[in-house]
Amino acid sequence: MSRPQAGPGTREKLLEGAVRTLTEQGIAKTSARSVAAAAGVNQALVFYYFGSVDELLSEACRYATEQRVGRYRERLAAVSSLGELLAFGREMHEEEREAGHVAVLAQLLAGAQTQPRLAAATAAGLSLWVTEVEQVLVRVLAPSPLGEFADPVGLARAVAASFVGIELYEGVDRAGASRALDALEQLAAVAAALDDLGPVAQRAVRHRLRRATRP
C-alpha cells in the first residue's frame, strides 16, 4: 500500500486542525477523521505523522501553548508590579476567551483526567505559562517587603491555577469569575501599599512577617 501524499506544512495543518476540532466539537468528538477534515487532508496522515490521535492531541497542546506564550512574552517582560501582572492577566483572559483558547484548555483538562499521555502534555503546556509568570514574580517581588518571604515558584503555580480555575468557572458563573478577578486585584493593591511604605515601616513589616513565618 502506498503512503498518503503529504504536502508542505501538513504537520502544522494537522496540529491546527486538532486545536480547531477541540474548540468546535470537544474532545469526545475529536478523531482522526474529524481532525483530518478540519485540516483538509487525508486522515491516514494523522497516523503517518503522529502514530495515534492521543499523540496528535499531546503535540497540539504543546504547539498551541507555545504559540500563545510567544504572543504575550514581550508584554510579560514589561510588567513591573503585581498590579500590572493581574491587569495583564485579566486582559489576556478576555483575549483568550474570545479566540476560543479557553475552550481548548477546558477540553484538554477534561481529557487529561483519564488519559495519562494527555495529562503529561497538558501539564507541560501549563508549565510554559508558569515559567513566564515565575520570572515576572521574581522581578517584581525582589524590592518588596514580601520578596523575602514569598515563594515565587509556588506563587507562580498558584497564579496559574487561579486563572485556569477562573477560566473554567466563567463558563457557569461569569459574574462570579469577574468578582474573583476583582479580589485578586485587591490583594495586588495591598502589596502595592506595602511597597509605598517608608523604610522604617517596611522594616517593621519585615520584622512582623519574620515572626509570623518563624517555625
Side-chain angles (χ1 to χ4, degrees), residues 128-181:
L128 295 176
W129 285 114
V130 169
T131 297
E132 295 296 325
V133 173
E134 182 183 329
Q135 291 174 356
V136 176
L137 290 172
V138 168
R139 185 173 68 251
V140 303
L141 288 175
S144 167
L146 297 176
E148 182 180 340
F149 308 95
D151 171 19
V153 177
L155 189 55
R157 282 157 177 76
V159 170
S162 296
F163 274 92
V164 168
I166 288 169
E167 286 178 347
L168 299 179
Y169 182 54
E170 188 175 44
V172 296
D173 184 1
R174 190 163 182 173
S178 179
R179 189 167 181 176
L181 289 170

Side-chain angles (χ1 to χ4, degrees), residues 12-212:
E12 287 71 23
K13 287 181 181 178
L14 285 166
L15 292 170
E16 291 169 1
V19 172
R20 189 158 61 252
T21 304
L22 283 169
T23 303
E24 297 173 356
Q25 301 184 41
I27 197 165
K29 294 184 179 179
T30 298
S31 64
R33 182 187 298 275
S34 61
V35 171
V41 301
N42 188 318
Q43 75 177 73
L45 290 170
V46 169
F47 305 100
Y48 175 71
Y49 279 100
F50 300 98
S52 68
V53 174
D54 280 355
E55 187 60 33
L56 166 59
L57 292 178
S58 295
E59 289 293 324
C61 174
R62 296 186 186 95
Y63 173 79
T65 305
E66 286 169 358
Q67 285 193 322
R68 304 316 295 174
V69 171
R71 173 184 175 86
Y72 297 113
R73 186 168 283 123
E74 287 188 8
R75 291 164 64 185
L76 279 166
V79 169
S80 60
S81 69
L82 285 177
E84 286 183 18
L85 176 60
L86 289 170
F88 162 78
R90 194 161 200 161
E91 181 182 345
M92 183 187 69
H93 169 74
E94 295 293 330
E95 292 179 13
E96 293 295 284
R97 188 188 65 228
E98 293 301 320
H101 294 284
V102 173
V104 172
L105 177 61
Q107 292 299 321
L108 289 170
L109 287 170
Q113 305 307 308
T114 57
Q115 300 177 48
R117 181 175 294 177
L118 193 55
T122 304
L126 287 173
S127 72
L128 295 176
W129 285 114
V130 169
T131 297
E132 295 296 325
V133 173
E134 182 183 329
Q135 291 174 356
V136 176
L137 290 172
V138 168
R139 185 173 68 251
V140 303
L141 288 175
S144 167
L146 297 176
E148 182 180 340
F149 308 95
D151 171 19
V153 177
L155 189 55
R157 282 157 177 76
V159 170
S162 296
F163 274 92
V164 168
I166 288 169
E167 286 178 347
L168 299 179
Y169 182 54
E170 188 175 44
V172 296
D173 184 1
R174 190 163 182 173
S178 179
R179 189 167 181 176
L181 289 170
D182 290 341
L184 289 175
E185 289 181 351
Q186 289 167 1
L187 290 177
V190 172
L194 290 176
D195 291 343
D196 290 338
L197 295 175
V200 174
Q202 287 199 6
R203 283 197 296 272
V205 170
R206 286 189 172 92
H207 177 69
R208 185 63 180 267
L209 287 172
R210 289 191 190 101
R211 292 182 60 188

